[in-house]
Amino acid sequence: MVTAMSVWRRRQRQHLLGCGRVRGNVLPADPKEKDGDEPPGTSQQESPEEFTDTKHESLFSLETNFLEEESGGNCSLKGSQDQNSSDPFLHHVNKELKEKEIQAIATNPKTTHELKWPTLGQLVFSSKFQKLETFKPPKDLDLKALYLQKPLESTWTKTNSQFLSGPQKSSSPFTPLQKELFLIMNSYQDLFYPERTALKNGEEIRHVYCLHAVNHVLKANAQVLGNNSRRRSRKLGVGDDDDFRDQGLTRPKVLIVVPFREAALRVVQLFISLLEGDSKKKIIVSNKKRFNGEYGSDPEERPPNLKRPEDYEAVFVGNIDDHFRIGVAILQRSIRLYAPFYSSDILIASPLGLRTIIGAEGEKKRDFDFLSSIELLIIDQADIYLMQNWEHVLHLMNHMNLLPLDSHGVDFSRVRMWSLNNWSKYYRQTLLFGALQDAQINSVFNKYCVNVQGQVAVRNVPLTGSISHVLVQLPHVFQRMEAENLASVIDARFNFFVNKILPQYRDAVMSHTLIYVPSYFDFVRLRNYFKKEDLNFTHICEYTQKSAISRARHFFLHGEKQFLLLTERFHFYKRYTIKGIRNLIFYELPTYPHFYSEVCNMLRAATRGEEAAWTCTVLYSKYDAQRLAAVVGVERAAQMLQSKKNVHLFITGER
């Protein structure tokens, strides 16, 4: 069983960025599959760690297959050459941009329009292209109007049935949330949804984006196979006719980024369910046993008697190895797992798994051509990447939709003109799901999402804030520090803490002081300063060994160490209750708002009779507006940021 902390320790050994290709939690494959398939061979050009299936290459080749007559008719895309088709897929891929429109993006102001939807709430539609399209969801949703490719129209209802139990106002195959999300997805606009949580709606959302991904791939492949058949009937060879432009420069068209192997397992299981439904005829899934062995987990290996919050259990379920990547090919009624990347339709990977294959400038062995023609990018659970390594996400985004360095055997007469023009990024739809309105996640959405169809962001504001969940009687002193600009915040925070806050706690009377530090780099800086000043302190971070953690907790509880420096990532990965806290300092507001109330409520573990002496100090600046609003509520946050006073007091738990 891969534990959350073992993942971190492995990454420390690999120095975060410079890790080689490791297999993570990989089990050896059985010598023979149950269905009689031999384990797939490994291409000599591929690293053996990739486990790519070369045996089924011809079976899943788009170039050499044709649309089956039995599945044809409705499976082919009618009007695939018709730019005025009502099918949103065709409307999107057949849209022709002009050179002057592309050039104008650099100078065009972003146009925005706000709408309120019944379930999603406040939406902001925006675009840098001149035409901004907005719409409201219809009351009733007709499946036929969604242009779902066969067999999805019949399989979706069964696949999604777990969310449809209970009283439904309509017989809709979607939940109200799914309906509104899918309407945006199906319009091919970029989407940012920052209210996805593992406990509440994570699986509901996973189901609907998997429907969209499979629908997109089936339509794209049906278009190619249909054109193959038309070319065959006209006896056309390679390069004979360029009327059939139906693909990108490389085959992978969907990239799904998830944090753990368990999430990849669930995605693949949904793909199988969506293609199979309740059909008596099972679909062919190549290498399924191997996949279940490498991405599944043994429930009996889970450590016993671990009491953790519900949200922790929901996030860290199953196989939580965070270094993986796998190619999936879908053709008609068959799925091929472990397809070589350049023979895959869908890639499922973690940021670390992608980082180690993309590589860095100067490295001999690196590859990112497979990202050149991604038409649908789904980034799920984006907030977890803030806890892993956000640099991997930025590195990925910087390598999306670049012109490939190699042709990879493509027939250029079949490549869409916008792909040849290096305009793929304007046709890529990005779906971004997370649990937070975070500045770094917002930045990725604003900077890298330039879809011609426009962007939609859900922008609901927190009314109450997580401070309302603090159960202990505690005065919370929020101290605003000034910073000239965003770049100077880190130094301004350190200087404010050292000169204004720390002197109040140096006295031995202020013992049992926990300092919560969200940034690892701030933690290292504070640790070095405390050592230089010879302060009586101990520290725990995500890299601390188990024995050192136990010692630090013991020394802090018994007052042998006055200060305890604690990183947010340690709290995220372990969620230990730290006993003995009397004074609490938030060096910066937590990334997750519920961590604020969680840490404050740890004071309940202290000895009774000490409540009157408890303190809590929080540092914030005007650049922490989103995090502040999530803790104290949007109205109070606005007052605290605009007030002439720099100190604000809240008292919780009053009887």
Side-chain angles (χ1 to χ4, degrees):
M1 180 73 182
V2 181
T3 65
M5 288 307 290
S6 69
V7 169
W8 263 101
R9 290 196 183 107
R10 186 192 67 221
R11 197 175 308 122
Q12 184 187 29
R13 290 196 301 271
Q14 296 166 344
H15 304 294
L16 286 174
L17 292 174
C19 63
R21 294 185 178 187
V22 295
R23 281 165 52 178
N25 188 31
V26 175
L27 305 174
D30 286 348
K32 201 168 181 69
E33 297 266 0
K34 272 188 180 177
D35 58 6
D37 283 349
E38 294 288 343
T42 305
S43 167
Q44 290 180 354
Q45 286 80 26
E46 294 284 345
S47 169
E49 288 85 351
E50 294 300 327
F51 294 107
T52 51
D53 171 13
T54 54
K55 179 183 174 184
H56 300 89
E57 190 68 35
S58 60
L59 181 66
F60 285 88
S61 168
L62 278 183
E63 291 78 23
T64 56
N65 279 283
F66 304 91
L67 205 64
E68 293 177 4
E69 291 301 323
E70 61 187 82
S71 66
N74 293 331
C75 267
S76 61
L77 276 180
K78 293 179 180 178
S80 60
Q81 308 299 321
D82 180 10
Q83 292 183 24
N84 297 316
S85 169
S86 299
D87 187 323
F89 167 80
L90 293 171
H91 177 72
H92 180 59
V93 298
N94 291 335
K95 191 180 185 77
E96 291 184 8
L97 283 172
K98 297 182 174 63
E99 183 80 39
K100 62 180 182 181
E101 290 179 278
I102 299 295
Q103 292 171 349
I105 293 172
T107 54
N108 277 354
K110 183 180 277 190
T111 54
T112 61
H113 184 75
E114 291 192 23
L115 281 177
K116 191 163 187 179
W117 281 23
T119 303
L120 290 178
Q122 204 66 33
L123 300 187
V124 178
F125 290 78
S126 62
S127 178
K128 288 206 85 175
F129 289 88
Q130 287 185 334
K131 192 177 180 185
L132 175 62
E133 293 184 10
T134 65
F135 62 98
K136 286 189 174 181
K139 286 183 180 179
D140 296 311
L141 200 58
D142 180 10
L143 264 183
K144 288 187 171 61
L146 297 176
Y147 292 89
L148 292 179
Q149 193 75 352
K150 277 192 172 182
L152 300 179
E153 200 173 297
S154 58
T155 60
W156 167 247
T157 305
K158 187 189 177 190
T159 301
N160 198 46
S161 59
Q162 69 185 91
F163 302 109
L164 303 176
S165 57
Q168 290 281 317
K169 288 182 181 177
S170 68
S171 56
S172 170
F174 295 90
T175 66
L177 174 64
Q178 286 176 331
K179 179 181 108 172
E180 295 186 10
L181 288 174
F182 190 76
L183 282 168
I184 296 169
M185 292 178 193
N186 209 33
S187 72
Y188 279 89
Q189 291 170 303
D190 294 327
L191 170 66
F192 175 33
Y193 181 72
E195 297 173 21
R196 181 245 191 257
T197 60
L199 263 182
K200 190 175 70 172
N201 55 21
E203 290 309 306
E204 199 180 337
I205 290 167
R206 197 192 318 273
H207 275 63
V208 79
Y209 75 60
C210 283
L211 171 67
H212 181 55
V214 173
N215 192 38
H216 180 86
V217 168
L218 290 177
K219 286 180 179 182
N221 287 355
Q223 191 177 35
V224 172
L225 298 179
N227 284 340
N228 287 352
S229 300
R230 293 185 191 97
R231 287 169 64 88
R232 181 174 60 174
S233 65
R234 289 166 58 175
K235 297 181 180 177
L236 296 172
V238 173
D240 284 354
D241 194 335
D242 65 355
D243 285 345
F244 300 100
R245 297 194 176 275
D246 52 17
Q247 53 198 269
L249 287 160
T250 52
R251 179 168 170 178
K253 48 190 78 73
V254 176
L255 172 60
I256 301 178
V257 182
V258 288
F260 305 121
R261 283 180 183 252
E262 171 68 21
L265 176 75
R266 294 184 184 190
V267 166
V268 170
Q269 287 170 341
L270 279 171
F271 289 168
I272 295 169
S273 178
L274 284 167
L275 291 172
E276 206 166 65
D278 53 2
S279 170
K280 291 178 183 177
K281 187 180 177 185
K282 296 286 183 184
I283 64 167
I284 299 165
V285 183
S286 307
N287 313 306
K288 187 177 180 181
K289 188 175 181 182
R290 167 177 281 174
F291 177 74
N292 288 334
E294 294 178 5
Y295 285 76
S297 62
D298 185 351
E300 292 180 7
E301 290 181 2
R302 188 164 183 80
N305 304 324
L306 278 183
K307 289 187 178 179
R308 297 286 184 270
E310 280 185 314
D311 66 292
Y312 178 94
E313 298 289 353
V315 169
F316 294 108
V317 65
N319 187 335
I320 55 168
D321 178 47
D322 67 347
H323 185 236
F324 60 90
R325 50 183 176 265
I326 186 171
V328 181
I330 296 177
L331 208 63
Q332 322 250 21
R333 289 189 55 77
S334 304
I335 292 181
R336 178 192 186 197
L337 303 175
Y338 298 100
F341 267 25
Y342 290 97
S343 302
S344 300
D345 297 301
I346 301 173
L347 308 176
I348 308 169
S350 66
L352 179 61
L354 290 167
R355 179 66 180 81
T356 52
I357 194 172
I358 293 170
E361 204 165 333
E363 290 179 12
K364 284 185 180 178
K365 198 171 184 181
R366 59 184 310 222
D367 185 11
F368 46 86
D369 284 0
F370 59 87
L371 298 171
S372 64
S373 298
I374 296 293
E375 297 162 359
L376 173 58
L377 169 62
I378 300 170
I379 301 178
D380 197 10
Q381 294 176 272
D383 51 287
I384 292 179
Y385 312 136
L386 295 170
M387 298 291 114
Q388 291 179 342
N389 191 332
W390 190 249
E391 288 299 317
H392 296 338
V393 176
L394 299 179
H395 196 68
L396 166 65
M397 299 309 293
N398 285 324
H399 288 84
M400 290 296 301
N401 299 112
L402 303 178
L403 282 175
L405 303 175
D406 186 23
S407 66
H408 300 281
V410 68
D411 176 359
F412 286 99
S413 70
R414 298 287 294 272
V415 179
R416 294 189 181 99
M417 289 308 298
W418 50 260
S419 194
L420 292 173
N421 288 335
N422 196 21
W423 293 349
S424 294
K425 66 179 180 181
Y426 301 114
Y427 288 82
R428 184 191 78 234
Q429 181 186 29
T430 304
L431 307 177
L432 188 54
F433 301 100
L436 302 167
Q437 288 272 14
D438 183 85
Q440 293 178 89
I441 302 175
N442 281 335
S443 175
V444 162
F445 188 71
N446 293 332
K447 181 179 178 181
Y448 295 101
C449 298
V450 286
N451 184 347
V452 63
Q453 305 292 352
Q455 290 73 44
V456 182
V458 176
R459 300 288 187 204
N460 295 314
V461 294
L463 299 175
T464 52
S466 61
I467 197 169
S468 61
H469 300 293
V470 177
L471 304 175
V472 295
Q473 192 166 353
L474 184 66
H476 305 253
V477 180
F478 285 76
Q479 301 221 18
R480 190 176 72 215
M481 46 118 194
E482 304 300 333
E484 290 181 10
N485 52 55
L486 191 56
S488 66
V489 168
I490 294 170
D491 287 337
R493 191 184 307 278
F494 178 76
N495 292 327
F496 185 83
F497 175 79
V498 166
N499 298 322
K500 298 283 178 69
I501 305 299
L502 192 57
Q504 302 170 31
Y505 290 85
R506 279 179 178 263
D507 195 296
V509 178
M510 302 296 283
S511 63
H512 297 274
T513 298
L514 182 136
I515 304 171
Y516 180 95
V517 191
S519 162
Y520 179 74
F521 300 105
D522 286 337
F523 166 80
V524 171
R525 189 176 188 180
L526 287 173
R527 185 187 64 194
N528 293 343
Y529 178 81
F530 276 44
K531 282 181 180 177
K532 191 181 89 173
E533 293 292 309
D534 200 25
L535 292 171
N536 181 25
F537 82 106
T538 185
H539 55 86
I540 301 175
C541 73
E542 54 271 26
Y543 302 119
T544 308
Q545 296 294 327
K546 196 170 184 180
S547 57
I549 293 170
S550 297
R551 283 196 303 272
R553 294 175 74 190
H554 174 83
F555 290 150
F556 183 71
L557 173 62
H558 295 285
E560 293 173 46
K561 297 291 183 183
Q562 183 177 350
F563 296 98
L564 170 59
L565 292 176
L566 185 81
T567 64
E568 181 169 74
R569 278 177 174 149
F570 174 81
H571 183 66
F572 174 79
Y573 278 101
K574 296 301 277 187
R575 302 292 268 279
Y576 286 174
T577 295
I578 305 296
K579 294 180 180 179
I581 307 170
R582 295 178 193 169
N583 304 295
L584 186 54
I585 301 174
F586 285 93
Y587 185 78
E588 185 182 358
L589 284 156
T591 305
Y592 287 92
H594 66 280
F595 282 3
Y596 183 86
S597 52
E598 252 180 43
V599 175
C600 287
N601 287 331
M602 286 182 190
L603 274 74
R604 286 188 294 178
T607 311
R608 288 189 176 180
E610 296 171 346
E611 293 92 335
W614 288 346
T615 69
C616 175
T617 301
V618 187
L619 277 64
Y620 74 98
S621 76
K622 62 183 178 183
Y623 299 104
D624 298 321
Q626 283 182 325
R627 291 189 183 187
L628 185 64
V631 169
V632 301
V634 68
E635 289 184 10
R636 283 173 170 173
Q639 292 168 5
M640 291 165 68
L641 292 168
Q642 294 163 10
S643 171
K644 292 179 181 178
K645 293 191 295 182
N646 288 336
V647 180
H648 298 267
L649 174 67
F650 294 81
I651 297 177
T652 56
E654 288 183 296
R655 291 189 181 92

